[in-house]
Each structure stands twice: as C-alpha cells, then as structure tokens.
C-alpha cells in the first residue's frame, strides 16, 4: 500500500513539475514575442523592461527569471525572430519551384507580399537593433549580423544555382548578390519608417526584382526554365 502511495506521489510530483516547466516556457515565449514587438515599435534604446512586461502581461519578476538584462532579452529575441522567420520562409510557396531563377524572383515577390500591417509588423527587428546598438552593444551587433547573414545564405544557395544556369560567366558572386538583397530590404524598411508606409518598400523590392532579372538573364533556349 505504501509503495503504491509513493508511486502516486511521484507521478503527481512529476505532473506538477511538467506543468510548471510548461508555464515557464510559455511565459518566456510571451516575453520574447513582446520584446520583438516593442523593440520594432520603439527601437532598442527606448524600449524599457516595463514596456516588454506590459506587452506580455507579465511582471518584472517573470522577466528577470528568464533574462539577466534587457540586452540578454534582446539577444534572445533576435534568435526568436530569426527562428520564426525561418519557419515563415520555409513554408513559402516559391520554395516548391523547380527553377532556381524562379525561386530567387519568388523570394523577392514573397518579401513584397508580406509588407502587411503596421510598420512594426513587417520591419526587421535585427536591422532596427543593429542601427542603434552596433557600437554600444557589441553582442547585439553580433547577433544581428549572425541572423541577417544566415538568412542571406539561405537565398545565396538559390542564387548560386541560378547563376550556374543563367549567368555562369558573370563576375559577381552569389554571396555578394544575397547580401545586396538584404541591403535593399533594410534600406527599404528605413524608408518605410521615414515615409510612414509600405509603398516605398514595395517599390524598392520591384527594383530588386528587376536587378535579379538582369543579373540572371534568360537567353538561349537551354537557359529557359524547364
């Protein structure tokens, strides 16, 4: 009888621990989502811990349970933002295209299509943070560089395949073209903020698409998409 009661207690204890762990994970996710929104809305310097807590609906005690500082939260938010972006782009329809040139152009079209909602909803957390914190917060600069570069590398693979098919003798490199796309995007987001609307960003992406069409010209029949 005692053995059975002890087993029941262990199971109950394990269930309580699992519940607490799930609650802690959920609160951490809420804080990261809140940090992404607040920093995209206000910038890193103006974003306060109190603002992040209010957005998440949690206390400062909960915040400091998860993060030692605002900077630590921002670095974790950069990883969170990048992971969500990876999932979004993994599911994008252009990835199903057989032709690599089509995937490159489809990437640009998809970036234009998601210029939706208010400015904080479509501008880039990484670019927002690195513009103001590149010198004062080296760890934030490094995190922003890492995730922007990793995103560019995803596109670089498609550009490299497309270049091999459509512009094998061109002097430019897939790596430079992929980073150029990110420079256009980050500049487009700055202009969208300056003009307080997405149209200028959409126009920049139209120009980027034309640039890729020129860099990857369809010429001889053997270079036509299958």
């Amino acid at each position: 009888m005692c053995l059975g009661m002890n087993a029941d207690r262990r199971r109950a204890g394990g269930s309580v621990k699992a519940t607490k762990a799930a609650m802690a994970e959920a609160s951490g996710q809420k804080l990261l989502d809140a940090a992404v929104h607040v920093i995209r809305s206000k910038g890193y310097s103006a974003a306060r811990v109190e603002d992040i807590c209010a957005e998440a609906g949690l206390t400062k005690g909960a915040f400091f349970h998860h993060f030692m500082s605002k900077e630590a939260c921002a670095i974790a938010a950069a990883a969170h933002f990048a992971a969500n972006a990876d999932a979004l782009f993994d599911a994008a329809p252009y990835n199903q295209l057989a032709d690599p040139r089509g995937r490159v152009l489809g990437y640009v079209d998809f970036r234009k299509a998601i210029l939706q909602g208010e400015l904080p909803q479509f501008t880039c957390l990484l670019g927002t943070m690195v513009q103001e914190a590149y010198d004062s917060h080296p760890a934030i600069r490094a995190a922003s560089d890492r995730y922007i570069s990793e995103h560019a590398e995803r596109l670089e693979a498609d550009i490299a395949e497309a270049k091999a098919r459509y512009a094998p003798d061109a002097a430019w490199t897939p790596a430079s073209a992929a980073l150029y796309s990110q420079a256009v995007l980050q500049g487009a987001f700055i202009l969208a903020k300056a003009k307080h609307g997405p149209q200028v960003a959409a126009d920049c992406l139209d120009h980027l698409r034309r640039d890729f069409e020129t860099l990857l010209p369809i010429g001889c029949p053997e270079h036509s998409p299958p």
Side-chain angles (χ1 to χ4, degrees):
M1 185 68 174
C2 291
L3 289 175
M5 291 177 64
N6 287 337
D8 289 342
R9 287 171 181 163
R10 284 196 297 270
R11 283 193 292 269
S15 178
V16 169
K17 287 181 180 178
T19 300
K20 287 183 177 179
M23 291 175 63
E25 182 178 358
S27 66
Q29 292 298 305
K30 284 183 180 180
L31 286 164
L32 290 173
D33 288 338
V36 169
H37 177 76
V38 170
I39 295 172
R40 284 204 289 187
S41 300
K42 297 186 172 187
Y44 174 75
S45 297
R48 302 177 305 158
V49 170
E50 291 85 352
D51 298 326
I52 296 170
C53 292
E55 179 69 25
L58 295 168
T59 65
K60 288 180 72 173
F63 180 93
F64 287 109
H65 173 76
H66 289 282
F67 310 110
M68 292 182 63
S69 63
K70 186 178 82 167
E71 181 184 58
C73 177
I75 293 168
H80 181 65
F81 177 82
N84 286 340
D86 285 348
L88 177 66
F89 284 89
D90 283 343
Y94 70 85
N95 287 304
Q96 304 304 315
L97 299 175
D99 176 42
R101 184 179 188 271
R103 294 198 298 274
V104 173
L105 298 178
Y107 167 83
V108 180
D109 293 340
F110 185 70
R111 296 291 324 215
K112 182 179 176 181
I114 60 176
L115 294 173
Q116 301 291 329
E118 300 298 321
L119 287 166
Q121 294 175 281
F122 68 78
T123 51
C124 180
L125 172 74
L126 307 174
T128 297
M129 291 200 298
V130 78
Q131 286 174 57
E132 60 176 300
Y134 72 94
D135 187 51
S136 57
H137 295 79
I140 291 177
R141 182 207 62 77
S144 300
D145 176 40
R146 172 186 172 181
Y147 297 120
I148 291 173
S149 297
E150 286 181 357
H151 185 78
E153 288 167 5
R154 293 162 60 92
L155 180 61
E156 181 185 343
D158 285 336
I159 295 174
E161 189 178 342
K163 183 179 186 296
R165 182 179 299 185
Y166 294 99
D169 299 323
W172 56 271
T173 66
S176 66
L179 287 173
Y180 167 67
S181 74
Q182 303 311 298
V184 172
L185 283 162
Q186 296 299 336
F189 294 145
I190 291 173
L191 288 173
K193 291 174 181 176
K195 296 186 178 296
H196 210 259
Q199 185 55 53
V200 65
D203 292 341
C204 289
L205 287 168
D206 286 340
H207 284 298
L208 179 61
R209 193 184 204 282
R210 286 187 284 269
D211 286 344
F212 275 127
E213 288 173 337
T214 301
L215 289 172
L216 302 167
I218 297 177
C220 300
E222 62 266 28
H223 287 167
S224 298

